[in-house]
Every structure is written in structure tokens, then in C-alpha cells.
Amino acid sequence: MKIYIADISVLRKRAVFQRLYEGMSEARRRRIDRFRFPKDRCRSLGAGVLLRKALADAGVDEAIFVYDEHGKPRLAGDPGVHFNLSHAGDRAMCVISTHRVGCDVERRGRRGTQVAERFFAPEENRRILAAPESERDALFTRFWALKESFLKATGLGLTLPLGAFAVDLDGDRITIRQDVDKNEYRFFELDPADEYQYAVCEQNGPDEQPTVEWVDLEKC
């Protein structure tokens, strides 16, 4: 498994954006063009550049995408390569694996105690409320990113209620209580000392640490 992360703020430079935009597939350009605001177009382009690089590194010469019933894209022909994308603020993220995988990046410090109380599993909400008040927003963001990565790894997305499963944080060990399927899931978090929370969830993967690459979009 390999994780790619990029600072997409460089895409605010018109020349950089245009050069990378012109290198995207027609389908990705259409996706970018659907966004009204420049910041959203930059995020979509940044994620697309990371996916293109990840697939090239994995030896996928021609990427033809199909979509499942929940709208999750995958490569046609089942080549044994799985991927997922996420973006938030000035960050884009891509993960690629030989197993089903999901990822999420969130800006830290989201206010979410009311969201947790209403939508999270009871044990997650209790864990957040038990933390010092100054740490609750960061803990909520951590739970949110991990839960989102699991939803994306299953392919169910938000068709699965957030309270239907629970992430358990036990020191450096992250486990999950879930009745969605009989698969095993493992989680990874990145801590690059910036203002973002990064989470990855892999289904039935080997017990190996992922490789992480920070990508300079100006050099792509």
C-alpha cells in the first residue's frame, strides 16, 4: 500500500493549474469543470494528479473506470489494484493498494461534539466527552477521519449510518466493532505535524506499514 499527499495551494497559480489540467483525461476535466468555486476545482485537480501518478507507479498504463452501485470508482477489468481519494482545505490524498482501501483527510479542530452525540456510536461519543474540553474537537476530527476511511473501504459510503459501527482507540492500536461483513480491517494514521488529520483503512491487508510520498505538484 502506498499513500500520496500533496499541498494543492500551488494550483492557485494559473500556469500550474492550466498545465496540469490539460494533462488530465477528458472525464477528469469534466469532473473539475462541474465545480463552481476555484478552490473546489483545485482540490479535484490535485486528487486527479495524485491518482494519475499512483496508477503510473503501479504499472497501470490505461485507466478505465467503472462505478459500483454506491458510486465508488474502480478500474475496469479487475486488475487487482484498488484506490481511493480524499481532499480537504489545501490537501489532496490518494491511497493505492492490492486490497480494498479507503482514505480521508480532514482539517483538524472541527467542532463536532453535537454531531458525535447525534450520529456516532455511544462509546465513541463517551470517549470524546471524557476528554478534556480543549481536546474534544481534535478527537472528534480523528474519529471522523477514521470512520470515513472505513466507510470508503467498504464501498458503502454514507449509506451506512455512522452509528452502525464504532472505532476503538487504544493507544497506538486502532480496532473496529462492526457487523457490516466478516472482513478484517486495519487502520493507519499519519502525523506530519500540520493542521490536517490523515486516516487510511485497508480491508484484509497484510500487516505492513504503508509507504508515504509527498508530491510536489509543481514538478508533476
Side-chain angles (χ1 to χ4, degrees), residues 13 22 27 36 38 57 78 80 133 139 146 151 163 167 173 185 206:
K13 299 178 182 179
E22 290 174 357
R36 177 181 178 184
D57 289 349
D78 190 21
E133 188 171 355
L139 186 56
L146 289 165
L151 290 171
V167 173
R173 185 169 178 266
Y185 292 90

Side-chain angles (χ1 to χ4, degrees), residues 74-105:
R74 60 179 176 83
L75 292 173
D78 190 21
V81 176
H82 302 269
F83 65 89
N84 196 232
L85 302 172
S86 183
H87 46 68
D90 282 338
R91 294 292 182 271
M93 181 179 187
C94 174
V95 60
I96 191 164
S97 173
T98 54
H99 297 76
R100 297 192 68 167
V101 70
C103 69
D104 192 50
V105 55

Side-chain angles (χ1 to χ4, degrees), residues 17 33 57 75 103-104 108-109 114 120 124 141-142 168 173 179-180 186-187 217 219:
F17 181 98
D33 292 342
D57 289 349
L75 292 173
C103 69
D104 192 50
R108 288 193 177 114
Q114 292 182 338
F120 280 13
E124 294 169 331
T141 306
R142 187 182 178 194
D168 181 29
R173 185 169 178 266
D179 297 317
V180 176
R186 63 186 190 127
F187 294 88
L217 296 179
K219 296 180 180 178

Side-chain angles (χ1 to χ4, degrees), residues 10-11 13-21 45 217-218:
V10 298
L11 297 179
K13 299 178 182 179
R14 183 181 297 273
V16 177
F17 181 98
Q18 192 61 33
R19 174 176 60 81
L20 292 174
Y21 175 86
L45 175 58
L217 296 179
E218 287 193 280

Side-chain angles (χ1 to χ4, degrees), residues 140-200:
F140 166 79
T141 306
R142 187 182 178 194
F143 270 117
W144 183 276
L146 289 165
K147 288 171 77 69
E148 182 74 14
S149 70
F150 171 75
L151 290 171
K152 295 167 79 173
T154 64
L156 295 174
L158 289 177
T159 62
L160 180 67
L162 289 170
F165 60 97
V167 173
D168 181 29
L169 306 177
D170 182 13
D172 294 332
R173 185 169 178 266
I174 304 170
T175 58
I176 188 165
R177 172 186 61 75
Q178 59 95 10
D179 297 317
V180 176
D181 53 39
K182 297 185 182 301
N183 292 302
E184 297 289 331
Y185 292 90
R186 63 186 190 127
F187 294 88
F188 298 95
E189 293 179 295
L190 307 182
D191 187 15
D194 62 11
E195 59 185 292
Y196 293 89
Q197 186 77 36
Y198 305 87
V200 174

